[in-house]
Amino acid sequence: MINVGIVGFGYWGPNVARNFSITPGAKVVAISDADDKSLQRAAVSYPGARMEKDCESILTAKDIDVVAIVTPVSSHFSIAKKALENGKHIFIEKPFTASVAEAEKLIEIAETHKVKIMVDHTFLFTGAVKKIKELIDDGILGDLYYFDSIRVNLGLFQKDVNVVWDLAPHDLSIMDHILHMDPVAVTATGVAHFRNQLEDVAYITIYFPGNVIAHLNVNWLSPVKIRTTLIGGQKKMLVWNDLVSDEKIRVYDKGVEGLDSLEMESKEKAYGLRLSYRSGDMWAPRVTQVEALQGEASYFIDCINNNITPKNDGYAGLRVVRMLEAIKKSLSGGGALVRLD
Amino acid sequence: MINVGIVGFGYWGPNVARNFSITPGAKVVAISDADDKSLQRAAVSYPGARMEKDCESILTAKDIDVVAIVTPVSSHFSIAKKALENGKHIFIEKPFTASVAEAEKLIEIAETHKVKIMVDHTFLFTGAVKKIKELIDDGILGDLYYFDSIRVNLGLFQKDVNVVWDLAPHDLSIMDHILHMDPVAVTATGVAHFRNQLEDVAYITIYFPGNVIAHLNVNWLSPVKIRTTLIGGQKKMLVWNDLVSDEKIRVYDKGVEGLDSLEMESKEKAYGLRLSYRSGDMWAPRVTQVEALQGEASYFIDCINNNITPKNDGYAGLRVVRMLEAIKKSLSGGGALVRLD
Amino acid sequence: MINVGIVGFGYWGPNVARNFSITPGAKVVAISDADDKSLQRAAVSYPGARMEKDCESILTAKDIDVVAIVTPVSSHFSIAKKALENGKHIFIEKPFTASVAEAEKLIEIAETHKVKIMVDHTFLFTGAVKKIKELIDDGILGDLYYFDSIRVNLGLFQKDVNVVWDLAPHDLSIMDHILHMDPVAVTATGVAHFRNQLEDVAYITIYFPGNVIAHLNVNWLSPVKIRTTLIGGQKKMLVWNDLVSDEKIRVYDKGVEGLDSLEMESKEKAYGLRLSYRSGDMWAPRVTQVEALQGEASYFIDCINNNITPKNDGYAGLRVVRMLEAIKKSLSGGGALVRLD
Amino acid sequence: MINVGIVGFGYWGPNVARNFSITPGAKVVAISDADDKSLQRAAVSYPGARMEKDCESILTAKDIDVVAIVTPVSSHFSIAKKALENGKHIFIEKPFTASVAEAEKLIEIAETHKVKIMVDHTFLFTGAVKKIKELIDDGILGDLYYFDSIRVNLGLFQKDVNVVWDLAPHDLSIMDHILHMDPVAVTATGVAHFRNQLEDVAYITIYFPGNVIAHLNVNWLSPVKIRTTLIGGQKKMLVWNDLVSDEKIRVYDKGVEGLDSLEMESKEKAYGLRLSYRSGDMWAPRVTQVEALQGEASYFIDCINNNITPKNDGYAGLRVVRMLEAIKKSLSGGGALVRLD
């Protein structure tokens, strides 16, 4: 039995607690939150667990194997460091840390203590992302051209992070997982409209090797909620609309015809003609309905029991933080290109 | 009666010819095209007009008042220059010219010869853009926050221009007309996936004074056609979907509640709370169904007869070209910020 | 404090129990279900309530004020009869009873014992139906022309009822509530495709006075889920799509122009012309997001405490059952007209 | 060369004329219309054809092979009769005739004179209907359960026909073509809301052998335009939305699981369980974009030249008229079942 301690029982913590509590082989034994009301709610739901106002005792408790850290990003490093140093595996909210340096340090500590880090990139465990990953790995889309994501809504302004740190980690972790490529450079633009000086609208471009380009549009001031990702490949193109209950993923048999053969011809001849386009069937593969966080919690317990490195380990978390840091730098430089290689 | 000569009878020329031909007070008297087949098609539709393989005679003909230039942008300057120097008003395809210098020169020549330039920013004459302009001018949306446009489809690769010069002039001219503000700076990113080395995917950010930001997403490799513009304002927000036949424009009574009063409070207090959001009715104003090009042609004849400066005059064309030139510069600099002021 | 006993803890019972349990002034004191597993689930969720395999004790218990009957329709009459005779108010699942005779008898018993009946027409308590009712009562739509509802999906075949008794009670109760008119006649067609001989596709027409017509399309064999109701009025027309999260109700300023004035003219003249149509704005009023069943439970407690007759009382239940009975008769007569007046 | 005479140049006539005029092997040689303005418009478009105020001369002219009859249905019989008696093939608007008797008589005359009748069931020549027909004929959907069509909009009231005769011929001809079954009985309900006493809302059920059922919802008073057909089959189900430009047809791999094996078991056992449902991929086959009327005109010329019986011949027209006549009878009987066998 893996004993889990939950640090933070605010908005997302209850979901993490619930999913670990129903995972076979895991047990929620302790919960901490600085806020009394949150702790009272936790006590009602988990009568068998101990409640702590201070997380210290959880980070050091002998009977705890996993610490789930569900606190604001600014507190991640110090909490995670102590947990890891005490030999605990950690399950930690996205984004992993507030800086690359912090992420690298945590990874180092975890390796020293031979414990595991899982960063809560929940979307990787949705039926939709699993299906997209499968389609791309199977070569159905062919070589990729671009990854273009829109994640906008009338958002909840955060106290301390801008729209990029709030929304983009989702897309960055999905993109990292699906493309499996190291980004070359980043540029980001955006503005803050309110007195808190935190950007509420931002646009991010990420360059990858081989002319692959990614773009993220994140916005807290949109009257309509949009969660749409377009992925263009040489053979097929895909649209993922996460807001519909059925047919979330549509695969289009569309593309540019005959470009390969055109490569052979002289440039003049080839581009003197307008190219023709292929437009075939559309296909919406069945996407399994699963509770992503449930799958993720089970997977972490499995990784621990069988000594497997999670796909969303510290390095995955680090890759996302590295992009976030570069985005931050570009944003403050008015969209300057920030190289990552 | 205003006599019109059409230069170029390829893809768009027939539409221009047809709309001038049915405009009261205008008459299509001559058409030129270097391509024999195009000229034969023109001859069948306009038995009363003279057909010219070379456009020279149209540019100088005594009986011609207006020259409509519907040729590739690279040829605009030389054709327009000659027409203007011969005292002809010109109706010219977007983008106006291939460079700022060319646009400025043509404006100068037109002023010297006291003739008018109308750049074919067709979208300004659609019911949708007219309605959006009206809503914004009436203050319905309040101060603007952002203008975010997506114009993607499986596109026709052009021989000589990239996706920016092909698609963005539409959005730039609409944005210029609606916002009526001078942009401060531009950044653009994008890549070319094929041998012609012309960008087929591009992302453009435009900064305006007062923290207003605009963003354009143009893409020739999208499996689905999207033509959606979000405009966020302090009072209301608007979504324009140009692909639906009804309810193209939706105005949302949505916004961030109480930000003005929050301005008064201390920063700590204000942002310690999550702000609440207003979510009210949605309203889709009726949009008049009109043939935009028909309205534009009539308007030009009216401008000539009554000596009115068109809203889409040479200066409007110049403003768009100035942005295109800056976008080009930024694109080749990997997204570097290009100042426009 | 009103003490509630729940009879039936299968699919819908847990929802009823939960909503009464969180209603101020109400308390769930006992739950019965013939199925052991269901009763065990109930015991976990309601440790303070007593669990009964047989419902008898609940129907007669001194401490119980309200019996919520959440069992198959075939058992409604006998359970409700006993509860009413023992002076309990009843909250009862739709459809109220299996026949008009049963419904009339229960109403009579309730009146004798001065207790209340509330039939669980949950939809009446949704934000959407409340808003539609309000719009129609305020005369926004003008005189009504028709009510046309589609409720189709890949359905769960029921053991003992056809698609009409499963799905149509929703629409019939909504229609009854909104139109507030006595139907004149009913016809229904449909077929059974499987061995159980229960109709899985059915079409129902209901005639009202004044040329108002209603139509219901219910189908258990549809690949897509549709929940759409069109309501046509003289002044405006309305579309209710219950499957979208925003803008569920759309009010169209559309209609037939000038029909009133045409009434004055001679028939020949009037219809020699094609009539023109009015097409104006569309408006999506904000619909409050509420848990309908929660509002319904609170309303019942309020009706009891303040001796108010519920809008969804036994007579409302009877009106729906009367239509169901007529539909059944018409269906077995191949669509024969069954008069209701 | 097949010479075509057009009788009627109102709303639809110009389309028929244009499509025959561009069909290889056909020539429009004469056009008649009682209305002077219509005739003048025809003269401008067809300078080579003779214009006739009276259609008589076209029906008897020596040089005419095909008479295209594009007049109100009340005039079809007399015009068609004369044309056929004079040895002309006829292309005739839907619905074929105003009664079964008329249709039968015209078929008889055509057979006597060895000439062909093509009823303008244009939809049969659309890419969508061709694809649906192909899918069903290939057994992709399996045995059919139902055909359910909705065709509603804010309609043009007709002078002399109700919404059934205006809109239902489309669906009836499509249904007849796709199902290829003889209907057993019909019921129809509907009401007229205006002084002309013509039904503007109507609902039609058609029973076929083997528990196949069809339903048509036609409405001239709908604020939104809907053109959706659901076709349910044992293996797969299909949704055709004719208003979208892409993905008009969606084929769902959905159905009721295990019904065949259940057939083997005892009834009690089978229906004691809720059946499970199959929910797999969705597939939108590419639908060719064609101008249906152009394909139809070419097909008629081909039928004449090669002595082929058109699929939309007089018998197809008769089958539709027979259903319309039964619908009329049922409608005036308040929804009474009218047998067709």
Side-chain angles (χ1 to χ4, degrees):
Chain A
M1 181 64 63
I2 305 285
N3 286 342
V4 182
I6 310 286
V7 177
F9 203 79
Y11 170 67
W12 190 243
N15 295 324
V16 173
R18 180 170 53 80
N19 279 289
F20 274 111
S21 78
I22 60 176
T23 297
K27 194 178 169 186
V28 172
V29 297
I31 297 174
S32 78
D33 199 297
D35 179 66
D36 284 333
K37 278 196 188 145
S38 298
L39 212 55
Q40 281 162 22
R41 281 190 296 121
V44 170
S45 301
Y46 300 90
R50 53 184 193 272
M51 299 293 134
E52 311 280 358
K53 207 172 155 65
D54 191 307
C55 67
E56 282 292 313
S57 62
I58 289 180
L59 308 181
T60 55
K62 287 249 165 78
D63 67 332
I64 286 179
D65 306 298
V66 168
V67 177
I69 302 167
V70 201
T71 59
V73 65
S74 55
S75 65
H76 280 190
F77 181 70
S78 61
I79 298 173
K81 184 167 175 286
K82 186 156 239 173
L84 294 169
E85 286 170 347
N86 280 278
K88 314 302 181 201
H89 305 288
I90 63 167
F91 178 91
I92 188 163
E93 261 328 283
K94 59 92 200 160
F96 182 21
T97 56
S99 71
V100 166
E102 287 180 358
E104 287 174 338
K105 185 70 188 163
L106 293 181
I107 290 170
E108 190 193 310
I109 299 172
E111 288 176 352
T112 302
H113 290 80
K114 294 194 174 10
V115 287
K116 296 190 188 303
I117 297 172
M118 178 174 279
V119 183
D120 182 15
H121 293 164
T122 325
F123 266 103
L124 308 196
F125 298 85
T126 58
V129 173
K130 283 178 173 177
K131 178 57 76 177
I132 294 171
K133 174 75 172 161
E134 183 189 316
L135 292 169
I136 289 175
D137 287 356
D138 288 355
I140 304 293
L141 271 67
D143 291 339
L144 295 189
Y145 290 146
Y146 65 86
F147 175 99
D148 186 334
S149 178
I150 303 176
R151 184 176 297 270
V152 306
N153 55 264
L154 201 58
L156 290 178
F157 281 87
Q158 305 285 323
K159 191 180 175 174
D160 52 356
V161 298
N162 65 10
V163 69
V164 172
W165 285 71
D166 181 37
L167 297 181
H170 293 304
D171 301 296
L172 293 172
S173 62
I174 295 164
M175 182 191 77
D176 171 70
H177 181 60
I178 285 175
L179 299 189
H180 216 261
M181 293 173 81
D182 288 319
V184 171
V186 159
T187 83
T189 55
V191 286
H193 291 97
F194 302 109
R195 233 185 96 167
N196 58 2
Q197 297 299 320
L198 296 169
E199 284 83 2
D200 43 55
V201 173
Y203 305 101
I204 301 157
T205 298
I206 305 163
Y207 290 102
F208 289 91
N211 283 341
V212 176
I213 191 168
H215 188 264
L216 278 52
N217 177 335
V218 287
N219 185 336
W220 272 339
L221 290 177
S222 168
V224 286
K225 190 175 182 177
I226 307 177
R227 298 277 182 275
T228 299
T229 303
L230 277 68
I231 303 177
Q234 198 194 347
K235 290 188 191 161
K236 289 196 200 295
M237 296 173 178
L238 179 154
V239 180
W240 168 30
N241 179 354
D242 204 44
L243 297 186
V244 293
S245 53
D246 295 316
E247 301 149 43
K248 282 179 188 290
I249 297 172
R250 295 167 184 236
V251 182
Y252 292 84
D253 183 21
K254 287 193 176 179
V256 183
E257 277 297 340
L259 270 175
D260 287 339
S261 56
L262 284 173
E263 303 281 75
M264 304 305 134
E265 304 178 37
S266 71
K267 200 172 170 181
E268 292 68 29
K269 197 173 162 198
Y271 297 103
L273 302 165
R274 294 196 165 207
L275 301 176
S276 72
Y277 290 78
R278 186 183 70 248
S279 184
D281 294 0
M282 184 272 271
W283 166 62
R286 186 172 180 239
V287 170
T288 318
Q289 303 270 13
V290 290
E291 183 168 2
L293 191 49
Q294 177 49 27
E296 191 179 16
S298 302
Y299 173 60
F300 194 34
I301 298 306
D302 192 45
C303 286
I304 291 168
N305 287 332
N306 300 293
N307 196 23
I308 297 164
T309 301
K311 56 187 172 188
N312 49 331
D313 64 356
Y315 288 100
L318 168 61
R319 291 194 298 272
V320 169
V321 172
R322 182 173 287 133
M323 288 188 278
L324 286 170
E325 210 175 74
I327 290 163
K328 198 182 191 174
K329 198 172 162 190
S330 178
L331 213 43
S332 61
L337 192 76
V338 177
R339 301 202 67 88
L340 283 162
D341 49 0
Chain B
M1 183 61 64
I2 305 285
N3 286 342
V4 181
I6 310 287
V7 176
F9 204 78
Y11 170 66
W12 191 243
N15 295 324
V16 173
R18 179 170 52 81
N19 279 289
F20 274 111
S21 78
I22 61 176
T23 297
K27 195 178 169 186
V28 173
V29 298
I31 296 173
S32 78
D33 199 294
D35 179 67
D36 284 333
K37 278 197 187 145
S38 298
L39 211 57
Q40 279 161 24
R41 281 190 297 119
V44 170
S45 300
Y46 300 91
R50 54 185 193 272
M51 299 294 135
E52 310 280 357
K53 206 170 157 64
D54 191 308
C55 66
E56 281 292 314
S57 61
I58 289 180
L59 308 182
T60 55
K62 287 249 165 79
D63 67 332
I64 286 180
D65 306 297
V66 169
V67 176
I69 302 167
V70 202
T71 59
V73 64
S74 55
S75 64
H76 280 191
F77 180 71
S78 62
I79 297 173
K81 183 166 176 286
K82 188 157 236 172
L84 294 169
E85 285 172 348
N86 281 278
K88 313 303 182 202
H89 305 287
I90 64 167
F91 178 92
I92 187 163
E93 261 328 283
K94 59 91 199 161
F96 183 21
T97 56
S99 72
V100 167
E102 286 180 359
E104 287 174 339
K105 185 72 189 161
L106 291 181
I107 290 171
E108 190 194 311
I109 299 172
E111 288 176 354
T112 303
H113 290 80
K114 296 194 173 9
V115 287
K116 297 189 187 306
I117 297 172
M118 178 173 278
V119 183
D120 182 16
H121 293 164
T122 325
F123 265 101
L124 308 196
F125 297 86
T126 58
V129 173
K130 282 178 174 177
K131 177 57 77 178
I132 294 172
K133 173 76 171 160
E134 182 189 315
L135 292 169
I136 289 175
D137 287 356
D138 288 356
I140 304 293
L141 271 67
D143 290 339
L144 295 188
Y145 290 147
Y146 65 85
F147 175 99
D148 187 334
S149 179
I150 304 175
R151 184 176 297 273
V152 306
N153 54 266
L154 201 58
L156 290 178
F157 281 86
Q158 305 286 324
K159 189 180 178 175
D160 53 357
V161 298
N162 66 8
V163 70
V164 173
W165 285 72
D166 180 36
L167 298 182
H170 293 303
D171 300 296
L172 293 171
S173 62
I174 294 164
M175 182 191 76
D176 171 69
H177 180 60
I178 284 176
L179 300 189
H180 216 261
M181 293 172 81
D182 287 321
V184 171
V186 158
T187 83
T189 55
V191 286
H193 291 97
F194 302 108
R195 233 184 98 166
N196 58 2
Q197 297 299 320
L198 296 169
E199 284 83 2
D200 43 55
V201 174
Y203 306 102
I204 301 158
T205 298
I206 305 164
Y207 290 103
F208 289 91
N211 284 341
V212 176
I213 192 169
H215 188 265
L216 277 53
N217 178 335
V218 287
N219 185 336
W220 273 339
L221 289 177
S222 168
V224 286
K225 189 174 181 176
I226 307 177
R227 297 276 183 275
T228 299
T229 303
L230 277 68
I231 303 178
Q234 198 195 348
K235 292 188 189 160
K236 290 194 199 296
M237 296 172 178
L238 180 155
V239 180
W240 167 31
N241 180 353
D242 204 44
L243 296 186
V244 294
S245 53
D246 295 316
E247 302 149 41
K248 282 179 187 289
I249 297 173
R250 294 166 185 238
V251 182
Y252 291 84
D253 183 21
K254 287 195 174 176
V256 182
E257 277 298 340
L259 270 175
D260 288 338
S261 57
L262 284 173
E263 303 281 77
M264 303 306 135
E265 306 178 35
S266 72
K267 200 172 172 183
E268 291 68 29
K269 197 172 161 199
Y271 297 103
L273 303 165
R274 293 195 166 207
L275 301 177
S276 73
Y277 290 78
R278 188 182 69 247
S279 183
D281 294 359
M282 184 271 272
W283 166 63
R286 184 171 184 240
V287 170
T288 318
Q289 303 269 14
V290 289
E291 182 168 4
L293 192 49
Q294 176 49 27
E296 192 179 14
S298 301
Y299 174 61
F300 193 33
I301 298 305
D302 192 44
C303 286
I304 292 168
N305 286 333
N306 300 293
N307 196 23
I308 297 165
T309 302
K311 55 188 174 189
N312 50 330
D313 65 356
Y315 288 99
L318 168 61
R319 291 193 298 273
V320 169
V321 171
R322 181 172 288 134
M323 290 187 277
L324 287 170
E325 209 174 74
I327 290 164
K328 196 182 192 175
K329 199 171 160 192
S330 178
L331 213 44
S332 62
L337 192 77
V338 177
R339 301 203 67 88
L340 282 162
D341 49 359
Chain C
M1 183 61 64
I2 305 284
N3 287 341
V4 181
I6 310 287
V7 177
F9 203 80
Y11 169 68
W12 190 243
N15 296 323
V16 173
R18 179 170 52 82
N19 279 289
F20 274 112
S21 77
I22 60 175
T23 297
K27 194 178 170 189
V28 173
V29 298
I31 297 174
S32 78
D33 199 296
D35 179 67
D36 285 331
K37 279 195 188 145
S38 299
L39 212 55
Q40 281 162 21
R41 281 190 296 122
V44 171
S45 301
Y46 300 90
R50 55 184 191 273
M51 299 294 134
E52 311 280 357
K53 205 170 155 68
D54 191 307
C55 67
E56 280 291 315
S57 62
I58 288 180
L59 308 182
T60 56
K62 286 250 164 79
D63 67 332
I64 285 179
D65 307 298
V66 169
V67 176
I69 303 166
V70 202
T71 58
V73 64
S74 56
S75 64
H76 280 192
F77 181 71
S78 61
I79 297 172
K81 184 166 176 286
K82 188 157 235 171
L84 294 169
E85 286 171 348
N86 280 278
K88 315 301 184 203
H89 305 287
I90 64 166
F91 178 92
I92 188 164
E93 262 328 283
K94 60 91 200 160
F96 183 22
T97 56
S99 71
V100 166
E102 287 180 358
E104 288 173 337
K105 185 71 188 164
L106 292 180
I107 290 171
E108 189 193 311
I109 299 171
E111 288 176 352
T112 304
H113 290 81
K114 297 195 174 4
V115 288
K116 297 193 187 301
I117 298 171
M118 178 174 279
V119 183
D120 182 16
H121 293 164
T122 325
F123 266 102
L124 308 196
F125 297 86
T126 58
V129 173
K130 282 178 173 176
K131 177 58 77 178
I132 294 171
K133 174 74 172 161
E134 182 190 316
L135 291 170
I136 289 174
D137 286 356
D138 289 355
I140 304 292
L141 272 66
D143 290 339
L144 295 188
Y145 290 147
Y146 65 86
F147 175 100
D148 187 334
S149 178
I150 304 176
R151 185 176 296 272
V152 306
N153 55 266
L154 201 58
L156 290 178
F157 280 86
Q158 306 286 323
K159 189 180 176 175
D160 53 356
V161 300
N162 66 11
V163 70
V164 173
W165 284 73
D166 179 38
L167 297 182
H170 293 303
D171 301 296
L172 293 172
S173 63
I174 294 164
M175 181 191 77
D176 171 69
H177 180 60
I178 284 175
L179 299 189
H180 216 261
M181 293 172 80
D182 288 321
V184 172
V186 159
T187 82
T189 56
V191 286
H193 292 97
F194 302 109
R195 232 184 98 167
N196 58 2
Q197 297 300 317
L198 295 169
E199 284 83 2
D200 42 56
V201 173
Y203 305 101
I204 301 158
T205 298
I206 306 163
Y207 290 102
F208 289 91
N211 283 341
V212 176
I213 191 168
H215 188 265
L216 278 54
N217 178 335
V218 288
N219 185 336
W220 273 338
L221 290 177
S222 168
V224 286
K225 190 174 181 177
I226 307 177
R227 296 278 182 273
T228 299
T229 303
L230 278 69
I231 303 178
Q234 199 195 347
K235 292 188 189 161
K236 290 196 198 296
M237 295 172 179
L238 181 155
V239 179
W240 167 31
N241 180 353
D242 205 43
L243 296 186
V244 293
S245 54
D246 296 315
E247 303 148 42
K248 281 179 187 292
I249 297 173
R250 295 166 183 236
V251 182
Y252 291 84
D253 183 22
K254 288 194 176 178
V256 182
E257 277 297 339
L259 270 176
D260 287 340
S261 57
L262 285 173
E263 302 282 75
M264 304 305 133
E265 305 178 36
S266 72
K267 201 174 170 181
E268 291 69 30
K269 197 172 161 198
Y271 297 103
L273 303 164
R274 292 194 165 209
L275 301 177
S276 72
Y277 289 78
R278 187 182 69 247
S279 184
D281 294 0
M282 184 272 271
W283 167 61
R286 185 171 182 240
V287 170
T288 318
Q289 302 269 14
V290 289
E291 183 168 1
L293 192 49
Q294 176 50 27
E296 192 179 15
S298 301
Y299 173 62
F300 193 33
I301 298 305
D302 192 46
C303 286
I304 292 168
N305 287 332
N306 300 293
N307 197 23
I308 297 164
T309 302
K311 56 188 173 189
N312 49 331
D313 65 355
Y315 289 100
L318 168 61
R319 291 194 297 272
V320 169
V321 172
R322 184 173 286 135
M323 289 187 278
L324 286 170
E325 209 174 76
I327 290 164
K328 196 182 193 176
K329 198 172 161 190
S330 178
L331 213 43
S332 62
L337 192 75
V338 176
R339 301 203 66 89
L340 283 162
D341 49 359
Chain D
M1 182 62 64
I2 304 285
N3 287 341
V4 182
I6 310 286
V7 177
F9 203 79
Y11 169 67
W12 191 243
N15 295 325
V16 173
R18 178 169 54 81
N19 279 289
F20 274 111
S21 77
I22 60 176
T23 297
K27 193 177 170 187
V28 173
V29 298
I31 297 173
S32 78
D33 199 296
D35 179 67
D36 284 332
K37 280 196 187 144
S38 298
L39 212 56
Q40 280 161 22
R41 282 190 296 121
V44 170
S45 301
Y46 300 90
R50 55 186 192 271
M51 298 294 134
E52 311 279 356
K53 205 170 156 65
D54 191 309
C55 68
E56 282 292 313
S57 61
I58 289 180
L59 309 182
T60 55
K62 287 251 164 80
D63 67 333
I64 286 178
D65 306 296
V66 168
V67 176
I69 302 167
V70 201
T71 59
V73 64
S74 56
S75 65
H76 280 190
F77 180 72
S78 61
I79 297 172
K81 183 167 177 284
K82 187 157 237 171
L84 294 169
E85 287 171 346
N86 280 277
K88 315 302 182 202
H89 305 287
I90 64 167
F91 178 92
I92 187 163
E93 262 328 284
K94 60 90 200 161
F96 182 22
T97 57
S99 72
V100 166
E102 286 180 0
E104 288 174 337
K105 186 70 189 166
L106 292 181
I107 290 170
E108 189 193 311
I109 298 171
E111 288 176 351
T112 304
H113 290 81
K114 297 193 171 14
V115 286
K116 297 192 187 302
I117 297 172
M118 177 173 280
V119 182
D120 182 15
H121 293 164
T122 325
F123 266 101
L124 308 196
F125 297 85
T126 59
V129 173
K130 283 178 173 177
K131 177 58 75 176
I132 294 171
K133 175 74 172 162
E134 182 189 316
L135 291 169
I136 290 175
D137 286 356
D138 288 355
I140 304 293
L141 270 66
D143 289 339
L144 295 188
Y145 290 147
Y146 65 86
F147 176 100
D148 187 334
S149 178
I150 304 175
R151 184 176 297 272
V152 306
N153 54 267
L154 201 57
L156 290 179
F157 280 86
Q158 305 286 323
K159 191 179 177 174
D160 53 356
V161 299
N162 66 10
V163 70
V164 173
W165 285 71
D166 181 37
L167 297 182
H170 293 304
D171 301 295
L172 293 171
S173 62
I174 295 164
M175 182 191 76
D176 171 70
H177 180 60
I178 285 175
L179 299 189
H180 216 260
M181 291 173 81
D182 288 320
V184 172
V186 159
T187 84
T189 56
V191 286
H193 291 97
F194 301 109
R195 232 184 98 168
N196 58 1
Q197 298 300 319
L198 295 169
E199 285 82 3
D200 43 56
V201 174
Y203 306 101
I204 301 157
T205 298
I206 305 164
Y207 290 103
F208 288 91
N211 284 341
V212 176
I213 191 169
H215 188 264
L216 278 52
N217 178 335
V218 287
N219 185 337
W220 273 338
L221 291 177
S222 168
V224 286
K225 189 173 181 178
I226 307 176
R227 297 277 182 275
T228 299
T229 302
L230 278 69
I231 303 178
Q234 199 195 346
K235 292 189 190 161
K236 290 194 199 295
M237 296 174 180
L238 178 155
V239 180
W240 167 31
N241 180 354
D242 204 43
L243 297 186
V244 293
S245 53
D246 295 315
E247 302 148 43
K248 281 178 188 290
I249 297 172
R250 295 167 182 236
V251 182
Y252 292 84
D253 182 21
K254 287 193 174 176
V256 183
E257 277 298 340
L259 270 175
D260 287 340
S261 56
L262 284 173
E263 303 281 77
M264 304 304 134
E265 305 178 35
S266 72
K267 199 173 172 182
E268 291 69 29
K269 196 173 163 199
Y271 298 104
L273 303 164
R274 292 193 168 210
L275 301 177
S276 72
Y277 290 78
R278 187 183 68 248
S279 185
D281 295 358
M282 185 272 272
W283 166 62
R286 183 169 184 242
V287 170
T288 319
Q289 302 270 15
V290 290
E291 183 168 2
L293 191 49
Q294 176 50 27
E296 192 178 14
S298 301
Y299 174 61
F300 194 33
I301 297 306
D302 191 46
C303 286
I304 292 168
N305 286 333
N306 299 293
N307 196 23
I308 297 165
T309 301
K311 55 188 172 189
N312 51 330
D313 65 354
Y315 288 100
L318 168 61
R319 291 193 298 272
V320 169
V321 171
R322 182 174 287 133
M323 289 187 278
L324 286 170
E325 208 174 77
I327 290 164
K328 194 182 195 176
K329 198 171 162 190
S330 178
L331 212 45
S332 62
L337 192 76
V338 177
R339 301 203 67 87
L340 282 162
D341 49 359

